[in-house]
Amino acid sequence: MGSNMAEAHPVGFQWVMEAKARGAEVIHIDPRFTRTSALADLHVPLRAGTDIAFLGGVINHILEHDLDFREYVRAYTNAPYLVDERFQDTEDLDGLFSGYDSGTASYDNTTWQYESQTDSGEGGTRAKEQSRPDQLGSGGPGVEGGARKIAADPELKHPRCVFQILKRHFARYTPEAVEEICGVPAETFLRVCRAWTANSGRERTAALVYSVGWTQHTLGAQYIRAGSIIQLLLGNIGRPGGGVFALRGHASIQGSTDIPTLFNLLPGYLPMPDTSHEDLPSYLHKVRGDRQKGFWRNADAYLVSLLKEYWGEAATPENDFRFDYLPRINGDHGTYRTVLDMLDGKVFGYFLLGQNPAVGSAHGRLQRLGMSNLDWLVVRDLTMIESAEFWKDSPEIETGEIVPERCRTEVFFFPAAAHVEKAGTFTQTQRMLQWRDKAVEPRGDQRSELWFIYHLGRLLREKLAGSADERDRPLLDLAWDYELEGEDEPSAEDVLRRINGIDLRTGKEVDGYLDLRADGTTVCGCWIYSGVFADGVNQAARREPHDEQGPYENEWGWTWPLNRRVLYNRASADLDGRPWSERKALVWWDAERGEWTGHDVPDFEKNKPPDYRPADDAVGPAALSGDDPFVMQADGKGWLFAPNGVVDGPLPTHYEPHESPVRNRLYAQQGNPARKVFGRAENPSNPSPPERGGEVFPYVFTTARLTEHHTAGGMSRQLPYLSELQPELFMEVSPRLAAERGLTHLGWAHVITSRTAVDARVFVTDRMRPLRLEGREVHQVWMPYHWGHTGLVDGDVVNDLIGVVLDPNVFIQETKVATCDVRPGRRPRGPALLDYVAGYRQRAGVTPETGTRIDTVTRHDTAHLEEDR
Amino acid sequence: MGLADWIRSWPVYRQLTGRDRTGRGKAAQSGRSAALAARTTDADRVVGSVCPFCAVGCAQHVYVKDERVVQIEGNPDSPISRGRLCPKGSASKQLVTGPQRAERVLYRPPYGTEWQELDLDTAMDMVADRVLDARRKGWQDADEDGNRLRRTMGLASLGGATLDNEENYLIKKLFTALGAIQIENQARI
Ligand code: SF4
């Protein structure tokens, strides 16, 4: 779902085809008919932005017909736990959960806690502003209490147990509701339910695949929660052939979150400190509970080892390992916030390191106008890209909004080294680190990012040497002594060694995060990568041929954590440690040898027997029972209901996208009540019900990618082969829509939103199917987003059509659904374009307030405007 | 070529008498293609790499001759890709050797209308000065309640997701030490 794997991850898709050849049934649920659909047994088109309604329907079907894997659910999930009696569901509040505050559009989640845990709530605006859940990626949100019992009903009958809450919450997601919301006929929907449930359980498992078709929504995190709930109910997590697969779109997206260049994270999903963390103890106290279960409790060892890697000898137990050197966050400092701050003149310098936001980010116009208001910009890329040339060649030059002679931004363009001209690791979608050797030297001024950052750091330290300013200490004390290779290239292998971790007492590489200590005797750059240099060997560089090793091929590259292929694989065995079935055996308890063993590296303490019960006062890993497979979770269980960690509700709920042609059929609450909006004139929204004016933008719009181009095009639009294969921007429309709007196949047309209009060739095809909703026909239009005006092939920037509105959990923008109009012919050029779009805004009654009245249940009048910040 | 040789070189004859009965392999090969050798055969070395486009992580063999990349192919040993590459991965040689590759630092002064050339060391030095300036202009010691911030809001960074882990590590480390927090990545997008 939300993935076109055959075209976006073509070589990965061979394994789906391999499974199909062995009898697996493949179902593709996605608005567009693509090559993935063509190869699937069944394609189910649905309206973009309604996946939770569909998945909620599946959950309802499972619960109503008792189709869950009951033994698994009872033992391994939080289904039996009782929730606070003050908790109120969307059933009670017409689409809101208890704890909602209209004024800040955020939740206080105190009432979502387990009955016995009511003191561990967090939330409110601070959580929302800092993308708090994003910081809990490896730890899972806190639940205090160690091994102490959480109030539960093992019979799953108590009205306040998670299982019963789930049942009530999803009761209205009937096949009829799915049909009306998603546009999927009830019979087709039921066929999916039958296939999913029949292929799950003791003997069988089903896998779920998603991509950015799920993440790029105002409720993207909840889409994934909904999919995970189904997989937990059906016993498809931690088992072979099961799981939820996030297909990352770019070589090292996974790596860029593990070792983050993200404002709210330190490596290994440790949160960036904020203003409430006065010192190291208060930070540790807040990021992990002192009495918490599981491996996250050892966060002190992970953080101290990181601080030791950062500040070496200067970091000592006496000075809290220089925790005070870390800058503090106190709000949203994400990329979209930063761009708005550029417009407001609050940002002076900007680095773009292999990224092209003028094309690749939502609302390209905002990006370019922001860049035109900087002191300086540094762009590093393989080739010239739109973001480096906004001052001489951009849509705003055409409209006169940017004039080179009046644009003050100083721009530096540095040519970058390519992947064969430097050594290093990517972490790919399966959490695997693969090492690349350097094949040739880069030429001219081409350099790796490693070179650039290392030498920039060296220069800055030289310039500040001798400074008495306290502010410069973190830079001057920085451990910046990486080995150099050749003339002056930092050794990526040395950096990886220090990411892995070193025992300072022996000078040797540690073998894994279990070796890390909080007393300053180990350094480790990223605890989840600890083990990649086990035994002093670069494990990521292993290339044992696949036909010369076992079925799990664990001698190719290295997968975090500790080279495990399947996370939480303790769940592949039953409570007694036996595989649920012979067919689906993965790891199991070997009673004779007193250890966990199997085909994969067991994700469990090696010698802890299945019947182990911890003492009541145990904490951390020691508090995990022998049947707590979810070892990172604070209660050891898979979460059907999320008391913490998700800011927009403990359960996924169907809300309409920010821009939608219809009213929410299920609740008075129209859109995600906690979504992040930025109400300002530069960032208008198309109206959605209950606001008026939506008919001016009657169609559903979505974007996607092609096999032959890559994201913002910097790596593909310049290549003759790929440009020849996909030479021109296009839009796909159905024959009915073409007739309605007078569009001709291969002719020109343009798409309009309240942001701008872009033109493209028309591709009339019955791959786009109109959907029937509320008795009327709703059309969908899609465009690939790879084009811009640099390169061998040229086209308008499709992301210019999209506004900035974000998922509140992770601050990802809603690029996968919006509303639009489509008209034949080319768009107006030059300043006439601005007038044309302004005319549309006027007809639709669009103001900065449009779309910012988030609460549609109780307070229709609170607009969330930027000026009010 | 004698008559016998001429007959033996006839594709139908080769198809009927040789092992390629379907006529889709050796039997259909022309003299010219028989004389061709792949660029891979006389490479000086073959280097193990990974496709830099999507996140599947297909393994690549990079063929190098005279310190130039002459070919990039799939590595059949990989359990992920078994030697396959999609159109993007197959176009990697153009990605790294094509004429679109920029080789020189370029500089656009404020209000400038054209790029200028600039030498790498000078450019690095200028950037370092500007980093310190922007850092100073956006510096914040504490918030209005006196809580420690120790940061600058004056500079920001947005990285792509073809950066190596080692590169991301140094980026985060250096900017954190500078006090810069608006350090972001494609992963957010
Ligand atoms: S070859 Fe294609 S499928 Fe494989 S990693 Fe590269 S882009 Fe992805």
Side-chain angles (χ1 to χ4, degrees):
Chain A
M1 283 182 83
S3 167
N4 172 15
M5 191 175 179
E7 292 180 64
H9 300 88
V11 180
F13 195 67
Q14 68 176 306
W15 300 107
V16 177
M17 288 294 90
E18 191 96 356
K20 191 180 177 205
R22 295 199 208 169
E25 189 171 353
V26 180
I27 297 178
H28 186 221
I29 306 169
D30 196 79
R32 306 183 299 126
F33 183 94
T34 58
R35 279 179 271 188
T36 308
S37 329
L39 291 163
D41 294 296
L42 175 66
H43 173 235
V44 183
L46 82 175
R47 175 163 62 98
T50 63
D51 302 50
I52 291 184
F54 190 95
L55 297 164
V58 177
I59 296 171
N60 184 38
H61 178 87
I62 294 169
L63 296 175
E64 205 188 338
H65 302 284
D66 285 326
L67 295 167
D68 56 296
F69 188 176
R70 191 60 56 86
E71 266 181 274
Y72 179 105
V73 168
R74 187 180 287 142
Y76 295 165
T77 75
N78 66 356
Y81 293 169
L82 306 190
V83 171
D84 190 312
E85 52 187 16
R86 293 166 300 170
F87 171 70
Q88 285 177 292
D89 187 62
T90 48
E91 285 299 294
D92 311 308
L93 301 173
D94 216 358
L96 297 172
F97 293 96
S98 46
Y100 187 65
D101 173 36
S102 226
T104 56
S106 64
Y107 279 108
D108 171 349
N109 68 352
T110 312
T111 59
W112 309 349
Q113 305 305 305
Y114 296 144
E115 182 181 270
S116 43
Q117 300 289 330
T118 46
D119 52 349
S120 46
E122 55 178 43
T125 41
R126 186 170 79 92
K128 183 175 167 184
E129 281 300 301
Q130 289 172 202
S131 178
R132 173 82 186 141
D134 206 14
Q135 308 177 337
L136 300 164
S138 66
V143 172
E144 285 280 27
R148 261 189 293 131
K149 289 254 169 327
I150 294 172
D153 174 19
E155 296 304 310
L156 309 182
K157 298 256 160 54
H158 192 291
R160 280 191 292 111
C161 80
V162 164
F163 192 76
Q164 293 298 330
I165 291 175
L166 209 62
K167 253 189 162 165
R168 289 196 299 276
H169 179 82
F170 288 107
R172 60 171 80 194
Y173 293 68
T174 59
E176 297 69 40
V178 170
E179 177 158 347
E180 284 176 42
I181 296 167
C182 310
V184 176
E187 196 31 58
T188 314
F189 163 74
L190 288 169
R191 193 176 147 194
V192 176
C193 292
R194 284 192 293 266
W196 205 334
T197 52
N199 286 291
S200 304
R202 216 171 251 285
E203 297 289 336
R204 293 175 166 273
T205 50
L208 175 61
V209 171
Y210 75 86
S211 306
V212 292
W214 266 16
T215 57
Q216 293 177 341
H217 288 278
T218 43
L219 51 161
Q222 296 281 11
Y223 275 47
I224 297 148
R225 283 269 302 128
S228 315
I229 290 173
I230 296 175
Q231 291 296 66
L232 279 172
L233 286 173
L234 297 178
N236 284 328
I237 303 280
R239 299 182 59 208
V244 180
F245 293 88
L247 298 183
R248 315 284 183 200
H250 211 145
S252 202
I253 286 271
Q254 181 64 48
S256 315
T257 31
D258 301 338
I259 295 189
T261 32
L262 295 170
F263 84 87
N264 54 344
L265 288 174
L266 289 168
Y269 302 94
L270 290 159
M272 261 314 262
D274 69 23
T275 44
S276 73
H277 303 129
E278 279 148 42
D279 50 17
L280 183 62
S282 80
Y283 171 88
L284 290 172
H285 178 73
K286 288 204 169 109
V287 306
R288 60 124 168 96
D290 290 334
R291 301 199 33 81
Q292 165 167 343
K293 238 192 209 193
F295 283 88
W296 185 242
R297 179 154 191 299
N298 297 346
D300 53 349
Y302 315 147
L303 181 78
V304 169
S305 299
L306 172 68
L307 294 172
K308 280 297 286 180
E309 203 295 321
Y310 273 12
W311 285 293
E313 313 237 299
T316 64
E318 293 70 41
N319 61 24
D320 263 4
F321 302 101
R322 285 296 176 215
F323 179 79
D324 59 329
Y325 279 3
L326 293 170
R328 306 302 155 92
I329 60 172
N330 64 342
D332 171 7
H333 315 296
T335 178
Y336 289 103
R337 174 77 262 158
T338 300
V339 168
L340 295 171
D341 287 345
M342 286 178 196
L343 282 180
D344 296 338
K346 295 182 192 161
V347 182
F348 312 110
Y350 194 25
F351 287 93
L352 292 176
L353 309 174
Q355 184 69 0
N356 190 12
V359 176
S361 289
H363 210 338
R365 190 177 126 78
L366 214 60
Q367 307 285 334
R368 295 182 296 265
L369 291 174
M371 290 191 278
S372 74
N373 198 28
L374 293 164
D375 289 355
W376 52 268
L377 170 72
V378 170
V379 178
R380 291 184 41 84
D381 220 301
L382 299 174
T383 160
M384 189 50 73
I385 54 170
E386 285 79 0
S387 298
E389 298 215 300
F390 69 90
W391 50 274
K392 84 193 264 267
D393 182 17
S394 67
E396 289 68 36
I397 298 281
E398 198 183 307
T399 56
E401 293 165 281
I402 297 178
V403 178
E405 291 81 0
R406 290 205 298 272
C407 173
R408 67 190 181 92
T409 311
E410 195 179 17
V411 186
F412 296 84
F413 177 85
F414 289 87
H419 74 295
V420 298
E421 295 154 358
K422 58 187 184 183
T425 53
F426 291 142
T427 305
Q428 267 100 9
T429 197
Q430 59 287 70
R431 306 189 315 280
M432 184 188 287
L433 283 79
Q434 296 190 83
W435 178 263
R436 299 183 329 274
D437 289 313
K438 184 200 253 192
V440 291
E441 292 294 333
R443 283 186 274 164
D445 297 338
Q446 295 165 347
R447 295 290 185 279
S448 66
E449 247 57 37
L450 207 60
W451 183 94
F452 179 78
I453 291 291
Y454 175 80
H455 289 286
L456 180 61
R458 178 183 59 78
L459 283 169
L460 291 168
R461 283 155 56 92
E462 282 168 18
K463 284 180 191 285
L464 293 176
S467 160
D469 193 337
E470 208 273 332
R471 174 191 303 182
D472 299 328
R473 289 305 338 150
L475 196 62
L476 295 173
D477 286 347
L478 203 62
W480 205 246
D481 53 347
Y482 297 101
E483 279 172 24
L484 296 182
E485 285 170 354
E487 220 170 290
D488 57 357
E489 178 74 13
S491 157
E493 197 146 47
D494 190 35
V495 178
L496 187 63
R497 268 180 76 240
R498 284 155 65 158
I499 289 172
N500 170 83
I502 292 164
D503 191 328
L504 294 173
R505 295 180 307 197
T506 62
K508 289 224 160 58
E509 295 82 3
V510 300
D511 288 336
Y513 56 82
L514 298 172
D515 295 347
L516 300 178
R517 289 178 297 268
D519 60 2
T521 55
T522 51
V523 300
C524 173
C526 181
W527 71 277
I528 56 176
Y529 282 14
S530 196
V532 67
F533 237 101
D535 307 322
V537 173
N538 183 349
Q539 306 280 343
R542 295 176 309 161
R543 296 197 191 102
E544 201 58 42
H546 68 88
D547 45 8
E548 292 170 26
Q549 50 170 322
Y552 275 73
E553 289 140 345
N554 45 21
E555 289 167 67
W556 182 276
W558 184 86
T559 306
W560 71 263
L562 298 177
N563 207 28
R564 254 171 219 132
R565 282 354 194 211
V566 179
L567 286 178
Y568 300 130
N569 58 28
R570 159 72 181 87
S572 70
D574 67 11
L575 279 69
D576 301 325
R578 294 176 309 232
W580 287 106
S581 67
E582 275 317 306
R583 222 177 146 247
K584 289 287 170 185
L586 182 57
V587 305
W588 54 87
W589 175 251
D590 183 335
E592 244 159 67
R593 295 165 63 183
E595 63 179 38
W596 289 92
T597 181
H599 306 304
D600 194 6
V601 179
D603 194 358
F604 210 63
E605 288 159 277
K606 197 167 182 182
N607 303 110
K608 181 176 269 188
D611 58 1
Y612 178 82
R613 294 293 171 267
D616 260 8
D617 58 353
V619 293
L624 291 164
S625 292
D627 58 1
D628 280 339
F630 293 88
V631 295
M632 292 302 299
Q633 290 288 96
D635 56 4
K637 304 299 181 196
W639 281 9
L640 298 167
F641 178 97
N644 273 324
V646 194
V647 299
D648 50 357
L651 289 171
T653 303
H654 167 67
Y655 299 115
E656 285 295 329
H658 179 68
E659 293 181 358
S660 162
V662 296
R663 188 80 173 93
N664 191 341
R665 183 190 171 280
L666 295 182
Y667 314 98
Q669 179 57 33
Q670 169 76 5
N672 183 347
R675 70 186 185 273
K676 268 184 85 81
V677 297
F678 300 89
R680 53 192 286 161
E682 302 92 335
N683 185 40
S685 298
N686 300 346
S688 286
E691 288 173 327
R692 274 195 275 270
E695 66 285 352
V696 176
F697 304 102
Y699 307 124
V700 176
F701 178 72
T702 186
T703 59
R705 63 165 69 176
L706 301 166
T707 306
E708 298 81 3
H709 281 297
H710 193 55
T711 60
M715 289 166 72
S716 66
R717 266 185 286 116
Q718 297 271 14
L719 309 191
Y721 290 156
L722 298 176
S723 299
E724 191 174 340
L725 286 166
Q726 285 291 1
E728 199 154 14
L729 178 62
F730 60 90
M731 65 180 84
E732 278 196 17
V733 300
S734 69
R736 302 265 281 258
L737 175 58
E740 188 172 304
R741 277 292 191 253
L743 315 176
T744 44
H745 185 57
L746 301 184
W748 287 93
H750 57 281
V751 172
I752 312 112
T753 67
S754 55
R755 275 75 59 183
T756 194
V758 307
D759 56 21
R761 298 283 185 175
V762 180
F763 189 169
V764 181
T765 167
D766 48 21
R767 296 195 299 206
M768 292 308 280
R769 244 186 274 170
L771 302 170
R772 284 212 76 76
L773 297 173
E774 299 176 344
R776 67 184 165 113
E777 200 161 57
V778 172
H779 293 284
Q780 310 199 79
V781 180
W782 85 269
M783 295 178 86
Y785 70 93
H786 309 290
W787 272 265
H789 295 287
T790 310
L792 301 175
V793 288
D794 169 281
D796 276 353
V797 177
V798 170
N799 276 329
D800 287 9
L801 290 167
I802 310 252
V804 177
V805 50
L806 311 178
D807 173 296
N809 292 293
V810 290
F811 297 175
I812 289 180
Q813 75 293 331
E814 188 155 74
T815 19
K816 285 292 168 262
V817 59
T819 57
C820 71
D821 190 17
V822 186
R823 294 283 165 177
R826 303 205 67 163
R827 64 170 168 85
R829 325 303 291 184
L833 174 64
L834 298 178
D835 298 337
Y836 183 66
V837 179
Y840 261 87
R841 282 199 296 270
Q842 200 181 6
R843 278 205 296 293
V846 172
T847 71
E849 292 191 8
T850 306
T852 70
R853 290 190 181 82
I854 295 179
D855 174 357
T856 55
V857 182
T858 55
R859 298 254 312 268
H860 304 254
D861 52 340
T862 315
H864 295 267
L865 291 175
E866 278 281 285
E867 294 87 81
D868 302 343
R869 273 168 44 88
Chain B
M1 193 188 284
L3 183 64
D5 282 345
W6 182 76
I7 289 175
R8 271 195 288 273
S9 73
W10 192 33
V12 171
Y13 175 87
R14 296 197 321 231
Q15 184 179 346
L16 292 175
T17 58
R19 288 171 58 188
D20 177 21
R21 288 298 159 88
T22 59
R24 283 181 291 191
K26 279 262 180 248
Q29 193 177 44
S30 72
R32 180 173 138 66
S33 51
L36 292 175
R39 278 194 294 276
T40 51
T41 50
D42 58 352
D44 299 331
R45 60 179 184 273
V46 185
V47 179
S49 194
V50 179
C51 174
F53 286 98
C54 93
V56 170
C58 299
Q60 297 185 329
H61 275 153
V62 182
Y63 293 84
V64 181
K65 187 172 166 57
D66 300 332
E67 298 310 314
R68 295 279 164 127
V69 173
V70 291
Q71 180 64 339
I72 297 181
E73 297 202 338
N75 176 353
D77 289 343
S78 164
I80 296 168
S81 54
R82 299 189 290 193
R84 290 138 165 103
L85 294 175
C86 81
K88 288 193 290 289
S90 310
S92 314
K93 187 192 152 225
Q94 281 187 345
L95 176 76
V96 299
T97 63
Q100 81 284 357
R101 286 290 302 280
E103 279 192 39
R104 292 284 158 222
V105 173
L106 293 175
Y107 174 67
R108 183 258 176 181
Y111 313 108
T113 54
E114 289 304 328
W115 287 112
Q116 304 171 359
E117 292 215 350
L118 191 63
D119 120 303
L120 177 61
D121 288 339
T122 313
M124 289 297 290
D125 199 62
M126 287 169 75
V127 170
D129 285 338
R130 278 151 188 74
V131 166
L132 292 178
D133 177 60
R135 173 176 179 254
R136 184 183 47 76
K137 278 159 73 181
W139 190 262
Q140 299 174 336
D141 277 315
D143 66 11
E144 55 276 19
D145 300 324
N147 295 313
R148 169 196 292 272
L149 292 173
R150 191 180 199 135
R151 71 180 186 198
T152 180
M153 299 299 281
L155 66 148
S157 166
L158 182 63
T162 308
L163 297 177
D164 295 343
N165 291 315
E166 295 76 15
E167 297 178 325
N168 269 322
Y169 187 76
L170 287 203
I171 294 169
K172 182 75 179 184
K173 182 171 174 178
L174 179 66
F175 281 120
T176 302
L178 277 167
I181 55 170
Q182 299 157 108
I183 307 307
E184 288 273 284
N185 187 278
Q186 160 80 22
R188 176 87 67 207
I189 295 163

